[in-house]
Amino acid sequence: MEGDTAYYRYRGYPSNCLNVVSVTVWQFAANGFIKKMITGGKQREFTAAEEIGAALGAGMSSAFICSPLELIMVQQQRKGASLASTIGSITNSGLINWGRGLWMTAMREGVYTAGYLGVTPVIRSEVSSRFPTWNEELCRIIASICGGAISCYLSHPTDTIKTCLQGDVERKRFTNHASTASALYKEGGIAAFYRGAPWRLFRQIGGMFLMDKIRVTVSPLLFPHRF
């Protein structure tokens, strides 16, 4: 019984691991590419708007990787089928289903990436410049709380709609974006779009802190010529 319980708790785990790794790599690479386009390859400081805008674009572009992988994960979590069986089931139900939730994913990932590659570093730098005697990690904690809260509550409604769409590939209840939003609102008002938000907030604050710390620490080691 305990083994069965553990299995149910980890449905979709491989898909989620592949999703997190591949999407994060893409977002970092796309962010660098967009920044290079902004400056034309010249070395200079970025404005806050440029930092956040580049991160937003990088996040939105990652939806083409993220959305199909999350579709597999959600379907596995709902139905408990194997990875191969889930992929076959989605494909057999219509290739168009691979695009379920794509635009909501793009909006969510755009805001999330803008949070950890844009808002958090910008706020950390601003806090550090205003309070130069403060410890860097304290500045990072403050920035992570702000970045996590902003990205979580701006993106959570899109994540809720996306999950409903991807969980119902048969279109029994959630047929499209408009009908899904309408069904959620009738069911619970605005609060229905924010179900689970507190748990996601804690995860995002931790993620913002770790991403910023790793980026600042690892980047000089990987690209010493840029520092």
Side-chain angles (χ1 to χ4, degrees), residues 28-216:
F28 270 91
N31 185 59
F33 178 76
I34 294 172
K35 282 184 171 181
K36 191 173 182 179
M37 289 181 63
I38 291 173
T39 64
K42 298 179 181 178
Q43 293 293 319
R44 67 168 176 80
E45 294 293 321
F46 291 93
T47 66
E50 288 172 339
E51 291 271 13
I52 296 170
L56 178 68
M60 293 186 71
S61 70
S62 70
F64 291 97
I65 301 172
C66 182
S67 185
L69 290 172
E70 287 198 5
L71 175 62
I72 296 171
M73 179 188 72
V74 170
Q75 284 295 300
Q76 281 191 285
Q77 289 174 338
R78 284 199 67 237
K79 300 173 181 177
S82 67
L83 179 61
S85 178
T86 300
I87 292 173
S89 176
I90 296 170
T91 302
N92 292 334
S93 65
L95 290 176
I96 194 172
N97 280 329
W98 284 107
R100 290 281 282 178
L102 175 65
W103 300 115
M104 291 295 100
T105 304
M107 294 174 66
R108 184 202 66 189
E109 287 301 306
V111 174
Y112 169 67
T113 309
Y116 82 82
L117 285 178
V119 175
T120 298
V122 167
I123 293 178
R124 173 176 49 75
S125 297
E126 183 64 23
V127 173
S128 181
S129 66
R130 288 175 179 267
F131 304 96
T133 60
W134 285 13
N135 181 279
E136 182 184 5
E137 299 310 318
L138 174 60
C139 297
R140 180 169 286 112
I141 290 172
I142 293 171
S144 299
I145 292 172
C146 294
I150 291 170
S151 67
C152 175
Y153 285 99
L154 283 180
S155 68
H156 200 77
T158 62
D159 186 54
T160 300
I161 294 173
K162 177 214 71 92
T163 303
C164 290
L165 287 169
Q166 292 188 333
D168 185 19
V169 293
E170 297 83 8
R171 292 172 168 78
K172 293 180 179 179
R173 183 183 178 197
F174 303 114
T175 55
N176 55 42
H177 296 85
S179 68
T180 301
S182 177
L184 288 170
Y185 186 76
K186 288 178 181 178
E187 187 178 287
I190 296 298
F193 294 91
Y194 285 94
R195 289 169 180 163
W199 299 107
R200 188 160 173 261
L201 172 63
F202 293 136
R203 187 184 73 173
Q204 291 210 359
I205 289 174
M208 300 283 166
F209 181 89
L210 289 173
M211 289 291 197
D212 188 59
K213 178 68 174 179
I214 292 170
R215 184 180 67 86
V216 171

Side-chain angles (χ1 to χ4, degrees), residues 14-29 62 64-66 69 116:
S15 300
N16 191 42
C17 288
L18 179 60
N19 177 34
V20 171
V21 172
S22 59
V23 168
T24 302
V25 170
W26 176 278
Q27 289 169 351
F28 270 91
S62 70
F64 291 97
I65 301 172
C66 182
L69 290 172
Y116 82 82

